[in-house]
Amino acid sequence: MGETAVLDLGNGPIRLPIITGTESERAVDVRNLRSQTGFVTLDPAYVNTASTESSITFIDGEKGILRYRGYPIEELAENSTFVETAYLLIHGELPTAQQLQDFRHTLSRHSMIHEDMKHFFDGFPVTAHPMAILCAMIATLSSFYPEAIDPTKDEDTQLTVCRLLSKVRALAAYAYKKSIGQPFMYPRNELSYCGNFLQMMFAVPAEPYVVDPVVEKALNLLLILHADHEQNCSTSTVRLVGSAQTNLFASLAAGICALWGSLHGGANQAVLHQLHYIHDQKIDVKKFISMVKDKNSNVRLMGFGHRVYKNFDPRAKLIKRSCDELLDHLGIRDPLLEIAKSLEEAALADQFFVDRKLYPNVDFYSGIMYRAMGIPTNMFTVMFAIGRLPGWIAHWLEMKNDPETRIGRPRQIYTGANLRHYVPVRERTAALQH
Ligand code: CMC
């Protein structure tokens, strides 16, 4: 046994292995603790629990570092495309020119959804949230590929992966088209991944549509920045659901549901609502910050704070810069951007935020960019899901291909009633009446 930690729970010391990651992160391996001692560890919200070893994404929250497969997010943001980054996350290495061309080709060939699937959109009321539609449609996609439903027998997992990465754009864009009563637009495979999505979202059959290269580039950046973030709530959900040998479609649908929450991916929508509220009610930024600091108000500054980052979220820095560029290009002066900047300035100078190490996160400025692109607020979390898909897939594959994977099954500490015996309802009622 290598390095160990010594733990004494009253019956003499036991040795627990220490695991060290490639970036020198250290963990005490407690997997045999219960069988050795009868104790379990209690860690609500998994604040201190590494649920797996993983070689996909590295975060140093103290230093504000994010790397996919070793590559700094800043370099990928500057030089890569979303498709190339997706390949990197899923395969572990950047592709050669031929591999990239083949990957792009496969994605393009699988961009359409089955014609029968279009009818499913008619079943949703116009009030349906697009996240509800997306998660239903991703799970529904499995019914068109029954050969991929048993992950232990799926002979062409890479094809399943490409189908999902490609079709998610049509599913998302159709959810939007349905909500505004416009006809669905077929994909145009000569366009890039992002250009094709923009075309399905915003083109109409009545006139030609030209993709704005600056908008396309900005979308590409946003998707790269969202592509993975190690064991967050939705990724952990995908892995947990997948650990039951659940197929990829269903595991991703579960991840989409987890992402929907406003403390997670839903925060980008919540940020915009908050900025609108401040704008429409003409609330002074300093006053709003006081409301956030007041524990009785139950108001949080959405798009601020992070479980892992105790420093600037590197994604937020990149998004802020790109946000200015995009709005300049489109000639938009968005009062919500001004409010966001004032909020950031006020928060970063305030002791409450300094003490708690609360900085803007990925969701703080992304919504302003999506809004400038013409994407409606209720589609923001859908955009996050499109970006996160390669990360979820990479984690699902890593889990599936690991021979040590077992079904995820946390323990608990029971705090309920001790043994008691059943009393028939008549006697219970009589007892209550006396
Ligand atoms: N506004 C005001 N106070 C905050 C905020 C915030 N946004 N975030 C954390 N705090 C305070 C919190 O009240 C607590 O204070 P105290 O110690 O006095 O009780 C302290 O900071 C620690 O907060 P926590 O809730 O224990 O931290 P957490 O790690 O459990 O939660 C978080 C992380 C991201 C859920 C939280 O910071 C938050 O609610 N942020 C707003 C929602 C948001 O922007 N979510 C997106 C996260 S990034 C992208 C993603 O994951 O999808």
Side-chain angles (χ1 to χ4, degrees):
M1 197 186 277
E3 207 185 346
T4 54
V6 179
L7 179 67
D8 194 337
L9 294 166
N11 286 326
I14 59 153
R15 293 195 169 275
L16 297 168
I18 289 184
I19 309 281
T20 306
T22 48
E23 289 289 344
S24 309
E25 291 167 302
R26 280 145 63 89
V28 179
D29 182 345
V30 295
R31 79 186 88 183
N32 294 321
L33 183 68
R34 188 170 180 276
S35 60
Q36 282 181 277
T37 67
F39 280 78
V40 296
T41 54
L42 176 64
D43 182 19
Y46 311 129
V47 175
N48 203 46
T49 292
S51 59
T52 185
E53 293 176 58
S54 177
S55 62
I56 301 170
T57 288
F58 171 69
I59 302 176
D60 183 328
E62 270 68 38
K63 295 192 184 132
I65 291 174
L66 169 62
R67 294 183 202 140
Y68 299 160
R69 302 284 190 183
Y71 294 99
I73 192 66
E74 294 79 7
E75 289 181 26
L76 293 169
E78 179 72 29
N79 303 303
S80 189
T81 61
F82 177 62
V83 168
E84 188 184 58
T85 299
Y87 186 100
L88 169 70
L89 285 166
I90 292 166
H91 294 274
E93 296 295 337
L94 284 168
T96 62
Q98 186 62 51
Q99 286 168 333
L100 184 57
Q101 192 188 322
D102 292 348
F103 189 53
R104 279 207 188 109
H105 180 70
T106 314
L107 291 181
S108 296
R109 288 217 37 209
H110 294 279
S111 55
M112 291 189 298
I113 57 170
H114 196 291
E115 283 293 294
D116 290 349
M117 228 185 147
K118 285 161 94 182
H119 304 302
F120 294 0
F121 288 87
D122 295 333
F124 288 94
V126 280
T127 51
H129 195 286
M131 282 297 273
I133 301 180
L134 186 69
C135 96
M137 289 300 176
I138 291 284
T140 303
L141 211 50
S142 65
S143 35
F144 292 88
Y145 305 101
E147 70 282 4
I149 283 190
D150 180 348
T152 61
K153 298 205 179 101
D154 184 3
E155 285 172 6
D156 205 344
T157 313
Q158 284 309 321
L159 181 58
T160 304
V161 163
C162 287
R163 281 183 172 138
L164 277 154
L165 283 173
S166 191
K167 292 179 199 304
V168 70
R169 293 170 299 176
L171 298 176
Y174 287 10
Y176 170 61
K177 287 294 199 193
K178 177 75 199 163
S179 75
I180 55 168
Q182 284 188 0
F184 299 157
M185 296 298 293
Y186 284 108
R188 277 176 40 205
N189 291 346
E190 77 277 14
L191 297 174
S192 71
Y193 186 93
C194 291
N196 210 346
F197 172 71
L198 290 167
Q199 184 271 140
M200 282 188 270
M201 279 288 287
F202 299 120
V204 288
E207 54 192 46
Y209 175 80
V210 180
V211 178
D212 180 333
V214 178
V215 175
E216 187 182 8
K217 185 169 166 242
L219 179 58
N220 194 60
L221 173 87
L222 283 169
L223 296 187
I224 290 175
L225 298 181
H226 284 86
D228 193 41
H229 216 233
E230 49 115 310
Q231 312 306 323
N232 54 80
C233 178
S234 56
T235 304
S236 300
T237 301
V238 169
R239 289 186 84 122
L240 184 62
V241 172
S243 76
Q245 294 192 346
T246 306
N247 64 68
L248 184 55
F249 303 92
S251 303
L252 294 178
I256 291 169
C257 290
L259 188 76
W260 195 353
S262 61
L263 294 187
H264 191 12
N268 56 13
Q269 177 175 339
V271 169
L272 243 279
H273 287 151
Q274 202 160 70
L275 294 174
H276 265 300
Y277 174 74
I278 295 171
H279 179 260
D280 297 350
Q281 302 293 318
K282 299 187 176 50
I283 299 176
D284 176 63
V285 160
K286 290 223 167 67
K287 192 167 164 226
F288 190 77
I289 293 287
S290 308
M291 272 164 71
V292 169
K293 285 162 39 177
D294 176 3
K295 290 277 173 195
N296 298 321
S297 74
N298 273 334
V299 178
R300 283 196 166 201
L301 183 54
M302 300 311 282
F304 251 73
H306 199 276
R307 171 64 60 78
V308 182
Y309 291 121
K310 300 301 166 200
N311 198 324
F312 269 95
D313 179 337
R315 304 167 299 174
K317 275 192 201 168
L318 293 161
I319 291 178
K320 188 178 176 187
R321 196 183 327 141
S322 175
C323 185
D324 282 329
E325 283 166 19
L326 179 71
L327 269 64
D328 275 355
H329 166 76
L330 296 172
I332 296 174
R333 273 187 59 83
D334 189 341
L336 300 193
L337 177 60
E338 298 313 314
I339 294 174
K341 285 183 175 173
S342 308
L343 279 172
E344 179 186 350
E345 200 181 301
L348 293 180
D350 192 296
Q351 208 53 41
F352 176 94
F353 292 85
V354 174
D355 289 346
R356 290 165 182 77
K357 300 191 168 93
L358 302 172
Y359 294 88
N361 61 46
V362 69
D363 295 314
F364 195 63
Y365 287 106
S366 60
I368 293 172
M369 287 183 72
Y370 289 134
R371 180 173 137 93
M373 291 173 188
I375 293 171
T377 313
N378 67 356
M379 283 289 289
F380 289 0
T381 315
V382 168
M383 301 308 298
F384 194 150
I386 296 174
R388 186 53 56 86
L389 215 61
W392 288 332
I393 291 170
H395 282 274
W396 187 89
L397 289 171
E398 185 177 63
M399 180 220 48
K400 175 175 174 277
N401 296 331
D402 179 354
E404 291 200 8
T405 292
R406 298 168 73 192
I407 187 167
R409 206 308 185 182
R411 294 271 175 173
Q412 65 164 16
I413 300 297
Y414 176 67
T415 57
N418 294 115
L419 178 65
R420 45 187 174 165
H421 294 287
Y422 183 80
V423 179
V425 66
R426 205 162 11 94
E427 290 173 35
R428 264 179 276 151
T429 316
L432 277 175
Q433 280 164 355
H434 289 298

